[in-house]
């Protein structure tokens, strides 16, 4: 099914079409992403890396959440949501999320903007996990770093990535290896009931200090909802 994670209109259309099929939804893996892109605004007017890597997944998850809750309740099987983050979440802008200057072209840095979006993935997962626990929903939410993988994701920084690969070749993964942690968190029975955690190489890992700030996660949640609301009113 067609889906453009940088477009809120596309996401809404996808969610409506999916729900019209009346299918169950057990697992949601938020995997779309762009990396180190030149400054650009999405069609909704948001910085493109933040729009695609975080806001699109945030909106999609919210639209599909009731279906996941219904599936988990009807089947008795835990639903699982997995956000693909990155080790780059440790290298965002100084305060983590540029709430007041998200679309400022002059201060834009493609590497830190990517780190900001990956930090947002973890904060989103943690805050959603907290909310679902309070609600008593049978759904876990976790985030993962899949590893350093040579894919088309690197297309905006080919020279830099090729140089880095020469000196860090032993840590690079192929695509199946890169998918392993995501599949583990989404499927392994040992992780039943485990939620609000961050995983690297199929092991729980402590994310950055910013990623563990509950207040920052709550602020990002409200900020994201406000951006979506404003975009829908445009």
């Amino acid at each position: 099914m067609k889906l453009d994670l940088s477009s809120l209109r596309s996401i809404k259309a996808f969610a409506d079409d999916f729900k019209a099929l009346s299918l169950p939804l057990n697992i949601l893996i938020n995997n779309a992403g762009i990396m180190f892109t030149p400054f650009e605004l999405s069609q909704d007017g948001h910085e493109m890396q933040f729009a695609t890597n975080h806001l699109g997944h945030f909106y999609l998850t919210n639209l599909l959440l009731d279906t996941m809750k219904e599936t988990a309740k009807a089947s008795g099987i835990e639903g699982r949501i997995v956000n693909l983050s990155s080790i780059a979440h440790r290298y965002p802008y100084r305060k983590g999320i540029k709430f007041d200057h998200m679309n400022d072209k002059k201060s834009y840095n493609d590497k830190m903007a990517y780190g900001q979006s990956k930090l947002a993935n973890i904060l989103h997962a943690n805050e959603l996990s907290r909310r679902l626990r309070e609600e008593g929903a049978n759904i876990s939410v976790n985030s993962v770093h899949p590893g350093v993988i040579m894919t088309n994701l690197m297309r905006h920084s080919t020279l830099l990535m090729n140089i880095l690969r020469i000196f860090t070749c032993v840590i690079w993964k192929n695509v199946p290896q890169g998918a392993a942690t995501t599949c583990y968190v989404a499927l392994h029975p040992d992780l039943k009931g485990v939620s609000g955690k961050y995983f690297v190489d199929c092991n729980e890992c402590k994310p950055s200090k910013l990623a563990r700030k509950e207040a920052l996660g709550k602020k990002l949640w409200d900020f994201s909802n406000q951006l979506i609301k404003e975009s829908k009113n445009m």
Side-chain angles (χ1 to χ4, degrees), residues 3-233:
L3 173 60
D4 179 357
L5 265 294
S6 71
S7 166
L8 298 180
R9 180 178 297 177
S10 174
I11 295 165
K12 181 62 166 60
F14 169 87
D16 289 344
D17 290 345
F18 178 82
K19 287 187 283 189
L21 298 174
S22 298
L23 293 171
L25 182 57
N26 305 90
I27 299 171
L28 175 62
I29 299 175
N30 289 318
N31 185 44
I34 55 175
M35 181 179 181
F36 301 167
T37 59
F39 181 82
E40 183 182 358
L41 296 180
S42 70
Q43 67 182 49
D44 302 295
H46 309 304
E47 188 274 306
M48 187 62 83
Q49 292 196 79
F50 185 82
T52 305
N53 297 351
H54 164 66
L55 194 62
H57 290 127
F58 178 87
Y59 188 40
L60 177 67
T61 302
N62 283 354
L63 291 175
L64 297 178
L65 202 53
D66 283 343
T67 302
M68 291 200 73
K69 291 176 184 177
E70 292 165 6
T71 301
K73 186 174 182 180
S75 66
I77 300 172
E78 177 187 69
R80 295 192 183 183
I81 299 172
V82 183
N83 280 2
L84 264 75
S85 180
S86 167
I87 194 172
H89 84 272
R90 298 182 179 277
Y91 309 103
Y93 293 105
R94 187 171 62 85
K95 293 184 179 180
I97 309 293
K98 293 202 307 178
F99 292 108
D100 298 325
H101 305 284
M102 185 63 65
N103 295 339
D104 182 14
K105 185 175 182 179
K106 290 183 178 179
S107 64
Y108 179 77
N109 177 286
D110 59 349
K111 310 299 186 296
M112 289 190 283
Y114 180 71
Q116 171 182 249
S117 70
K118 296 290 99 181
L119 171 62
N121 291 148
I122 300 178
L123 292 170
H124 170 218
N126 292 350
E127 177 61 13
L128 179 56
S129 174
R130 186 188 68 80
R131 288 169 178 259
L132 290 173
R133 278 198 304 266
E134 287 186 354
E135 187 180 329
N138 188 24
I139 301 174
S140 67
V141 194
N142 293 290
S143 51
V144 306
H145 167 52
V148 186
I149 313 159
M150 181 54 75
T151 67
N152 198 37
L153 185 65
M154 312 289 188
R155 62 189 178 276
H156 296 286
S157 300
T158 304
L159 178 61
L160 172 62
M161 290 301 108
N162 285 337
I163 293 172
L164 287 175
R165 195 175 190 184
I166 293 172
F167 296 101
T168 61
C169 59
V170 295
I171 70 170
W172 287 77
K173 297 180 178 182
N174 59 36
V175 172
Q177 290 170 333
T181 301
T182 302
C183 293
Y184 172 72
V185 175
L187 299 168
H188 204 286
D190 284 355
L191 294 188
K192 182 179 180 181
V194 176
S195 190
K197 305 298 182 181
Y198 171 65
F199 290 83
V200 179
D201 292 329
C202 297
N203 287 286
E204 185 180 330
C205 183
K206 182 181 287 188
S208 71
K209 185 176 180 180
L210 283 170
R212 302 195 305 272
K213 285 191 172 184
E214 186 174 308
L216 186 60
K218 291 179 179 178
K219 184 175 181 179
L220 176 65
W221 185 279
D222 292 339
F223 178 73
S224 302
N225 273 326
Q226 185 61 34
L227 288 182
I228 292 168
K229 181 180 179 181
E230 290 172 357
S231 297
K232 290 165 69 175
N233 291 332

